[in-house]
Amino acid sequence: MFESLSERFEGIFSRLSKRGRISPADVEEVGSELRRALLAADVNARVARAFVDRVKERAVGAEVHQALNPAQQVLKIVNDELVTMLGGETGKITMSSKPPTIVLLAGLQGSGKTTHAAKLARHLKSQGLQPMLVGADLQRLAAVEQLRTLAERVDVPFFSEASDPVTVATKSLAEAARLGRNVVIIDTAGRLQIDDDLMDELQHLRDTVHPHNTLLVIDAMIGQQAVDVAEEFNRRIGLDGVIITKIDGDARGGAALSVKEVVGKPILFAGTGEKLDEFEVFHPDRMASRILGMGDLMTLIEKAEATFDTQQKERAEEILRDGSFTLEDFLGQLQQVRKMGPLQQVIGMMPGLPKELKGVEVDDREVVRIEAIIQSMTAAERMKPEIINGSRRNRIAMGSGTSTNEVNKLLKQFKEMQNMMKSMGAMGKVMQRAGKKNKKKNKGKGAARPAAGLPAGVDLSKLGDLSGLDLSKLGFEPPKR
Amino acid sequence: MLPVIIIVAVVVVLALTTFTVGRVRSRRGGRDVVAPPEAPISRPITPSARPTAPGVEPGAAVEAGDLAPLAEAPVESAPEAPPLAPPEVPVKARLRDRLGRTRAAFAGYVRGIAGRKVDQSTWDDLEEALLLADVGLETTSHLLGAVQARAKEFKVTDADEVVALLRTEIEALLEQSGVDRTLREVPGEVNVWMFVGVNGVGKTTTIGKLAAQQIAEGRSVVLAAGDTFRAAAAEQLGLWADKTGATIVRGQADGDPGAVVFDAMSAATSRHVDLLLVDTAGRLHTKQNLMAELEKLKRIIDRTEGALKEVLLVIDATTGQNGLQQAKQFAEAVDVSGIVLTKLDGTAKGGIVLAIQAELGLPVKLVGVGEQLGDLIEFDPREFASALFEE
């Protein structure tokens, strides 16, 4: 979502780092470049101006003390400001001491309220709560039907009736009590923030049911309007948080920054796809890192942790230790990586990925072909690809429904991968040793804040640095646009 | 230990990427998409279930199963459905009446600088006004650059005159190259208009409104419920069919949209209707597999040569700069012929119109300005431009 913004920042800072020292003129230039970048990312013009001013102020101040690496310094300042801007506690629904906890979803038409009501219900259910979905969108045709279907899919009770939104909401509370549900999620009709009648209705609804969480659902693709929308909804019904949707697209999502800045309420969740499980807790720090082109490593690690089982982790270590990477391993890893989500998304989270790879489109269906090729090999062939001769090649191609050409290509790339694994293994050993050393050194000092959940001393930035990889060896050419 | 996994993952992904990139490119080189046995995609694109001979003959017998949905009442009971009334005759709204907000906001800005001498702050204010209207950096720079050149040429020092120049410039931009904004149709033929766009922009609602208007004008209309993905999307279109008296062709939920479109083409042809409006599932323009699905739908329509008259991209007027990306990607995939700009009544801006016109030359053909049936209207650039400046 923020890829383009990161590219712009990278552009600014690569120029900066070439100059060595930061001058007031540089600060001005960074400021105007930063403003352009923010505007192109749909950050509200006024928010962008305020943000740039803050960064400039801090950049000049910092320069006096230590102007050793200006690019890094400015980068850090921008990052800090972004985290502050996006920050606040995320992923938390305020639970009422007296059940049920009421969640009210509101927003413009088409922002994704109905879908995200169901996603939220699914999320809360997975946390052991007993949510119920309430269809109070009596405006749009078939909106109730849509939520009813989704409720069935996530297997939570559903309530609605043909009356009016306030009555539906009120009755739903009694229904929740009857069924012993402890969270009630109310979906409302989409409305424009300037539609007085509908905003009055929403206000009335809020005053009647007194929701514990009034959440604004907002589309990541929204432009400058985001501020007006958030301000007006906040003024009318008092927002407690925001759900940002459709961030799986290529919208730069500057609106997220604007809304947070203007309303001052945290972005709690993010919708990351069309499927009901494509919903996650919003992470300001990760998002800021992503903006700055540092990838979303924490998400990646979490996903890897959830997908890879212990045995596979051990095998992975073994591979790196002795370089014994086989096609069988490749197949296994492939299937694991695929479990982590669509490849495109996984690549998007990869830190420090070579530029050429960033905009690349990956079709997951191609992976199936690769799998088919490997699966058409005998166990011996998978362990020792060297034995694959012409006739074996033909058999594999026929068996997998591909061509010998493709089989050849795969074998050639696999060879390169093996080599790469060996050099990576060497790197890993160095890192592990360094990690142990650092642990001792840092004892009692509390220095060098390690990223949460990682062994101390592991240098994430080095890990993500793939610049040493020779892409051309793998037969990679940058896509021509 | 974890970093180890990451490294392996990085390498696997990296290698995969290089492999797949090569393959994707070669596929674009002309080969057909090979449907894998187990497609790891969010929505299965099942190969079209029935044999689809090119060119459906008029009056040809269609399998009973194919047309069954026609007879079926779409929904049992939906609480929000209005009682079945005779189809309403929509009264068309006027753009300028509905742009009150847009007008006020922009005019407010312009009024702020009126009567002043032109200085840097004038240009800054105008720039911010345009940017806040979602016009975007490039189009804004382009517009202001042109105005600055003119102002210099004519030695304009009064801010009012600068504003007048800007207005002329905006009008010129919208009027450029004599674009055709009428919806193409040939009387006596089945005219197919297909609607595409990202999620939640208002495709189904637009089709409903348009069906009401076209039926009121005496045309016969078939609706194709090509959104088989979103829950209750077909029900929604079915309610519109009830409301407007249009015929609807639907398929199974989660079924193959290609089959629905194929059936709808057969039904429209055998019934000799004037218009077939094809609804499609909302999809982000970045999802390659879903865009490929859309291309496939278009190919099915194109089997009847010349039937597809319009591919309309529906864009939400609150969309920011991403609207341009959407337009570019959809245009590349399905050869978009025009834009429908929805929800323009709510946005205090609408500047995305300028950016789309300037950068892509795709004409805006229809504008959605409210929830009433008559609130889908032709886009009139002059009225739009002047509405921006009138108080």
Side-chain angles (χ1 to χ4, degrees), chain B residues 22-349:
Chain B
R23 300 262 311 115
V24 169
R25 260 194 287 133
S26 70
R27 201 184 69 205
R28 286 214 177 111
R31 278 203 294 126
D32 250 36
V33 181
V34 184
E38 272 185 329
I41 45 177
S42 53
R43 285 183 215 169
I45 304 177
T46 42
S48 189
R50 52 190 58 81
T52 42
V56 181
E57 283 176 40
V62 188
E63 282 171 44
D66 286 344
L67 286 183
L70 287 177
E72 178 192 303
V75 241
E76 334 73 68
S77 70
E80 75 280 26
L84 272 184
E88 299 162 52
V89 179
V91 184
K92 285 209 178 176
R94 292 196 60 199
L95 183 57
R96 57 199 316 177
D97 297 338
R98 297 305 175 94
L99 287 177
R101 266 298 173 119
T102 313
R103 204 158 53 195
F106 200 90
Y109 251 102
V110 169
R111 204 170 39 237
I113 62 167
R116 297 201 320 233
K117 285 281 170 226
V118 178
D119 54 19
Q120 189 51 45
S121 74
T122 313
W123 298 114
D124 290 349
D125 283 358
L126 282 177
E127 186 192 42
E128 182 152 316
L130 290 169
L131 288 174
L132 280 174
D134 281 322
V135 174
L137 264 176
E138 256 172 58
T139 312
T140 297
S141 313
H142 163 80
L143 281 171
L144 287 182
V147 173
Q148 271 168 336
R150 287 287 186 97
K152 208 173 170 188
E153 188 185 335
F154 298 113
K155 300 198 166 51
V156 172
T157 54
D158 188 67
D160 288 329
E161 288 171 55
V162 168
V163 173
L165 283 175
L166 177 58
R167 179 175 159 169
T168 316
E169 211 51 56
I170 291 175
E171 277 177 11
L173 178 66
L174 288 169
E175 297 278 13
Q176 73 182 358
S177 66
V179 284
D180 182 12
R181 292 182 195 277
T182 53
L183 294 167
R184 277 169 285 184
E185 61 170 331
V186 178
E189 277 184 24
V190 175
N191 297 283
V192 185
W193 296 348
M194 175 162 131
F195 294 78
V196 301
V198 299
N199 317 64
V201 287
K203 286 177 293 300
T204 308
T205 305
T206 298
I207 289 176
K209 289 180 191 168
L210 196 60
Q213 293 178 3
Q214 294 293 329
I215 287 170
E217 286 176 22
R219 292 184 186 84
S220 50
V221 177
V222 170
L223 309 179
D227 183 356
T228 54
F229 179 74
R230 201 190 74 209
E235 281 81 356
Q236 187 182 349
L237 198 66
L239 291 171
W240 274 110
D242 291 350
K243 205 169 169 170
T244 60
T247 308
I248 182 169
V249 177
R250 341 175 3 182
Q252 300 274 315
D254 283 328
D256 176 14
V260 175
V261 171
F262 180 80
D263 287 351
M265 287 296 289
S266 317
T269 314
S270 60
R271 290 168 180 228
H272 302 290
V273 298
D274 301 314
L275 264 183
L276 169 61
L277 304 181
V278 179
D279 193 12
T280 62
R283 65 201 72 220
L284 291 181
H285 50 287
T286 50
K287 310 256 157 132
Q288 209 197 344
N289 51 348
L290 297 183
M291 294 305 276
E293 180 192 80
L294 205 55
E295 287 171 35
K296 182 181 142 192
L297 294 185
K298 181 172 180 282
R299 279 201 303 274
I300 292 171
I301 301 172
D302 280 339
R303 283 176 194 167
T304 310
E305 211 176 310
L308 187 60
K309 301 293 195 303
E310 294 280 354
V311 178
L312 296 168
L313 172 66
V314 185
I315 288 187
D316 184 329
T318 56
T319 309
Q321 299 312 301
N322 192 244
L324 284 172
Q325 281 308 317
Q326 294 172 20
K328 275 177 200 162
Q329 298 297 323
F330 276 99
E332 198 176 294
V334 288
D335 203 8
V336 172
S337 59
I339 306 275
V340 181
L341 194 68
T342 58
K343 312 182 202 172
L344 192 59
D345 53 331
T347 164
K349 327 285 176 181

Side-chain angles (χ1 to χ4, degrees), chain A residues 251-381:
Chain A
R252 294 163 194 177
L257 311 184
S258 316
V259 170
K260 179 63 191 33
E261 182 76 355
V262 168
V263 181
K265 295 289 158 45
I267 300 169
L268 302 174
F269 301 100
T272 57
E274 293 184 329
K275 285 187 283 182
L276 291 172
D277 59 349
E278 289 175 319
F279 180 77
E280 56 183 44
V281 169
F282 181 82
H283 297 281
D285 45 346
R286 292 181 194 176
M287 201 58 99
S289 300
R290 226 164 121 176
I291 295 171
L292 298 173
M294 301 197 289
D296 192 358
L297 199 60
M298 294 311 294
T299 307
L300 193 66
I301 290 174
E302 261 182 21
K303 282 207 175 178
E305 214 166 14
T307 354
F308 286 73
D309 61 40
T310 327
Q311 211 184 342
Q312 284 157 329
K313 284 174 190 166
E314 274 163 15
R315 173 67 191 135
E317 268 193 303
E318 206 181 297
I319 292 171
L320 284 183
R321 218 174 26 243
D322 50 24
S324 60
F325 187 60
T326 66
L327 275 163
E328 190 67 50
D329 294 318
F330 181 49
L331 185 64
Q333 298 297 343
L334 198 63
Q335 284 160 345
Q336 290 308 314
V337 172
R338 255 180 63 200
K339 270 194 223 158
M340 288 164 66
L343 276 186
Q344 188 85 60
Q345 261 182 36
V346 177
I347 290 174
M349 288 183 275
M350 214 67 87
L353 212 55
K355 261 226 169 65
E356 304 91 304
L357 280 182
K358 268 188 182 161
V360 163
E361 277 185 5
V362 184
D363 189 343
D364 281 62
R365 277 175 293 184
E366 300 299 338
V367 180
V368 177
R369 298 175 70 87
I370 300 174
E371 278 180 15
I373 295 177
I374 303 178
Q375 276 159 350
S376 301
M377 296 177 186
T378 63
E381 285 165 349

Side-chain angles (χ1 to χ4, degrees), chain B residues 12-27:
Chain B
V12 172
V13 171
L14 201 65
L16 269 177
T17 317
T18 62
F19 191 78
T20 54
V21 165
R23 300 262 311 115
V24 169
R25 260 194 287 133
S26 70
R27 201 184 69 205

Side-chain angles (χ1 to χ4, degrees), chain A residues 47 78-79 105 136 177 191-192 207 214 236 284 287 333 374 391 434:
Chain A
V47 175
V78 174
N79 183 49
L105 300 184
R191 64 202 77 216
L192 298 168
D207 293 343
T214 304
R236 286 298 200 107
M287 201 58 99
Q333 298 297 343
I374 303 178
S391 90

